[in-house]
Amino acid sequence: MLRVCERCPDAAHLQPDLTQATALAESCSRQIRAWASSLQNSDIKGQRHLNDETRQRFAQRAQATEFELELARRLHRAHPSIYRDPDA
């Protein structure tokens, strides 16, 4: 909105104040973005706050668990007397 006001001819007398407010708004925006990035890549626990590395480890564990379950199902189908039913 500040950028729109800067282009408005009726607000010409407010130009110095608009320029200062725009610079302050941009500074705040950069600080908030930096803070959000630091939180996203921190070691905070929880699904909502996973960083890139933790997100990758979480996905790998989920894939490994699914693989193990599918392997157990196939072994049970091939040899039900040896391998118990993983879904039981």
Side-chain angles (χ1 to χ4, degrees), residues 44-51 54-55 58-59 61:
I44 295 173
K45 302 297 180 208
Q47 180 75 12
R48 185 171 171 213
H49 302 287
L50 293 176
N51 61 27
T54 311
R55 202 175 275 119
F58 181 79
R61 273 195 301 260

Side-chain angles (χ1 to χ4, degrees), residues 3-4 12 14 17-19 24 33 36 38-39 42 53-54 56 58 61-64 66 68 74 83-84:
R3 295 281 186 204
V4 171
L14 298 174
D17 294 330
L18 290 172
T19 302
L24 182 59
R33 181 65 249 156
S38 71
L39 283 177
S42 71
E53 179 185 339
T54 311
Q56 184 179 14
F58 181 79
R61 273 195 301 260
Q63 283 180 323
E66 185 59 36
E68 290 171 354
R74 289 179 185 215
Y83 299 101
R84 64 178 184 81

Side-chain angles (χ1 to χ4, degrees), residues 1-9 11 14-15 17-27 29-30:
M1 289 306 300
L2 291 169
R3 295 281 186 204
V4 171
C5 289
E6 284 178 342
R7 287 185 245 134
C8 182
L14 298 174
Q15 196 65 32
D17 294 330
L18 290 172
T19 302
Q20 187 178 8
T22 301
L24 182 59
E26 289 173 352
S27 174
S29 176
R30 283 191 296 274

Side-chain angles (χ1 to χ4, degrees), residues 51-77:
N51 61 27
D52 295 336
E53 179 185 339
T54 311
R55 202 175 275 119
Q56 184 179 14
R57 280 196 315 250
F58 181 79
Q60 287 173 342
R61 273 195 301 260
Q63 283 180 323
T65 300
E66 185 59 36
F67 174 78
E68 290 171 354
L69 183 58
E70 181 59 28
L71 179 61
R73 285 178 181 144
R74 289 179 185 215
L75 287 171
H76 173 71
R77 280 195 302 267

